């Protein structure tokens, strides 16, 4: 009888470990998938932000010493 109880306990523990490992694996896969999606969308986001900057009146100027200045258009309130 004690052998049967030990086998049942081991089966329950193996099942619990299997569930925990699959949940952790799914969470890691989901996180990596979201990171991949962000990296795929990054160039699109940069183009949209640059277009919004220049269409909003922003400009980039280069100084005589080679420095770069980013100027935003001021909006009067």
């Amino acid at each position: 009888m004690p052998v049967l109880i030990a086998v049942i306990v081991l089966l329950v523990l193996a099942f619990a470990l299997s569930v925990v490992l699959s949940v952790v694996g799914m969470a890691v896969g989901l996180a990596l998938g979201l990171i991949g999606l962000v990296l795929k969308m990054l160039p699109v986001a940069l183009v949209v932000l640059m277009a919004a900057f220049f269409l909003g009146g922003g400009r980039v100027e280069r100084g005589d010493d080679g420095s770069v200045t980013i100027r935003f258009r001021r909006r009067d309130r």
Side-chain angles (χ1 to χ4, degrees), residues 11-35:
L11 286 175
V12 169
L13 288 175
F15 175 74
L17 181 64
S18 171
V19 169
V20 168
L21 287 177
S22 53
V23 167
V24 168
M26 185 178 64
V28 168
L30 185 63
L32 290 176
L34 288 175
I35 291 171

Side-chain angles (χ1 to χ4, degrees), residues 20-69:
V20 168
L21 287 177
S22 53
V23 167
V24 168
M26 185 178 64
V28 168
L30 185 63
L32 290 176
L34 288 175
I35 291 171
L37 180 63
V38 167
L39 291 176
K40 285 180 186 175
M41 295 305 294
L42 189 61
V44 175
L46 290 176
V47 168
V48 168
L49 288 174
M50 284 177 40
F53 171 74
F54 287 113
L55 290 174
R59 60 184 197 269
V60 178
E61 298 173 351
R62 182 174 293 275
D64 294 333
D65 59 352
S67 63
V68 175
T69 304

